[in-house]
Amino acid sequence: MSNLKQIGYFAVAVLSVKGLGFLLLPISTRFLSQVEFGQLNFLVTVSALCSLILSIGLPELLLKQQYNTHTEKLALFRDAVITTFIFSLLFAGCSLIFSEQIAHQLPAKVDPLDLRLLIVNLVLSALIGIPYIYYRLTNNARTYCYLCISHALVQTTLTITLLFLGFSITGVMVSGAVSSLLIVCISYFDILKVINVSYSEFSWRIQGKQTVFIISIVISSLFIYAGNGAENWFIVANFDETLLANYYVAAQFAVLTSFTFEPIRLWWFAKRFSLVKNNKSEYESKAILCLNVGLALCVVMSVLAPITLNLVLPDNYHGNEHWLVLLIVVVAIRHHSDILNIGCYTHKNGISVPIINLLTALVGLSLLYLLVPMFAVEGAILSLIIMQSFKLLCFYLTSQQFVPLTFKLSSLAPSWLALLIIAGISFMPGNLILQLGVLLTYIFVFINQYKSIILRVIKKTVEERKYAQLL
């Protein structure tokens, strides 16, 4: 399957899943009070934190390893599945036993039953992660796409039904558990017969070197959470669930920008290690192209996302559009940390990654502690911008020390200029006409900048369609 088709399937999967997820926003904000919606979103925040622990770095390990034979890769998947099952069972057992005590210690009001259902969801999601990586690495984007869409359809249908029947937050948790269990059964039925590699052929693959790598990834991921979820804890602890609900919807619409970039990211992350090893110049050009595509999506969404928010959500969630645009700037900075950093993951078992993320977490948590009580949500967003910029600088400089690359960063200037102008305009009343003007000007510049690539993609698409018609 060609790279373009794979990206196409990933695009369909991501857009379908996230589209259905965002379909639930206007529904859940109407069925749940702002306090309940804030409580639900705090559970999502807890879920994000725990999922970092449950994954234990195995997805990154699977993506990183470059074995010589396909069978050896399958042996690594075999061991990843076993490790995930054991760790998930231990996590679930301990968490369920102490769920009531944990619920009482959280800063937001959480029903112990909802927390138990969340634990079940977390375990099932960790198990699903391994088959999804398998489909990505074996260029089976079609199966990945079908499973993602099926998962989203079942969960969305059940959530709407249970909300309509009055089950509130518990209904949302139940729908997640049921849909995840279904996908676990389907995906493992598909891959277990393929990854059944005997230990006489290949012994246990997750050894000392790999263990150091996954530990560094887990620790690093926990530090990353300081800039990707910890602000929710500070907001709800210093204020209340209602303000958290308003911030969360803005953050979700900002994250939608990241999701539009996800198809390219899914393809790029599976290819980047082999690409930088075999062809550095191609890696450099494709990295900048990926970044500019991500920035273009950020520019477009900085205009469209606030309009969409006001159209689909109740009136009590309006009036904070500038939060959304500034959060899109945070998303854009985070794209750069992801794409421009390769050396930190390929040298010394990735030990520099948790070190940088530790420093970033300390900077971020300190800023959140100081600025959120003083400036509420604006303080949280400012903290995120400073923290993500610090992280980007550290990753880029360190990566260049390990793997020196020549990136044409000047190519990003038009995109950044447009994004920052739109962000500034978002603070002005009646800003839509000005923003649209900047957007249209930017689109013209972007098309002219990548005219040759756009024409080549169009030509290839037309040729493939003609070939398909002949068949």
Side-chain angles (χ1 to χ4, degrees), residues 124 127-128 131-132 134-135 143-144 146-151 154 178-193:
L124 293 172
L127 295 174
I128 292 172
Y132 279 176
Y134 171 81
Y135 294 129
T143 304
Y144 177 93
Y146 293 161
L147 284 175
C148 285
I149 293 174
S150 301
H151 191 176
V154 173
V178 172
S179 57
S180 296
L181 179 60
L182 176 65
I183 300 303
V184 165
C185 294
I186 294 172
S187 60
Y188 276 92
F189 178 80
D190 182 39
I191 73 162
L192 281 179
K193 57 180 179 290

Side-chain angles (χ1 to χ4, degrees), residues 96-133:
L96 289 171
I97 290 171
F98 298 104
S99 58
E100 194 134 354
Q101 292 89 330
I102 294 170
H104 290 311
Q105 296 301 315
L106 296 174
K109 184 180 178 182
V110 173
D111 189 318
L113 173 60
D114 295 335
L115 183 61
R116 293 184 190 105
L117 289 169
L118 177 66
I119 293 165
V120 175
N121 271 298
L122 285 166
V123 169
L124 293 172
S125 296
L127 295 174
I128 292 172
I130 304 300
Y132 279 176
I133 295 293

Side-chain angles (χ1 to χ4, degrees), residues 52 84 86 92 94 166 325 335:
L52 297 176
T84 303
I86 293 172
C94 295
V325 180
H335 282 330

Side-chain angles (χ1 to χ4, degrees), residues 382-397:
L382 179 59
S383 301
L384 295 178
I385 290 174
I386 296 172
M387 182 178 63
Q388 291 297 337
S389 300
F390 173 80
K391 177 182 174 182
L392 167 60
L393 185 64
C394 290
F395 268 138
Y396 179 72
L397 294 177

Side-chain angles (χ1 to χ4, degrees), residues 67-79 134 138 194-203 205:
Y67 286 120
N68 295 323
T69 66
H70 181 64
T71 308
E72 197 168 2
K73 292 178 184 177
L74 295 179
L76 180 62
F77 271 98
R78 171 202 65 194
D79 299 340
Y134 171 81
T138 55
V194 179
I195 64 173
N196 187 23
V197 180
S198 69
Y199 282 99
S200 60
E201 186 174 2
F202 285 106
S203 60
R205 297 288 90 191

Side-chain angles (χ1 to χ4, degrees), residues 419-434:
L419 181 59
L420 293 176
I421 290 173
I422 291 172
I425 295 172
S426 69
F427 287 89
M428 301 165 52
N431 54 42
L432 182 58
I433 300 300
L434 286 173

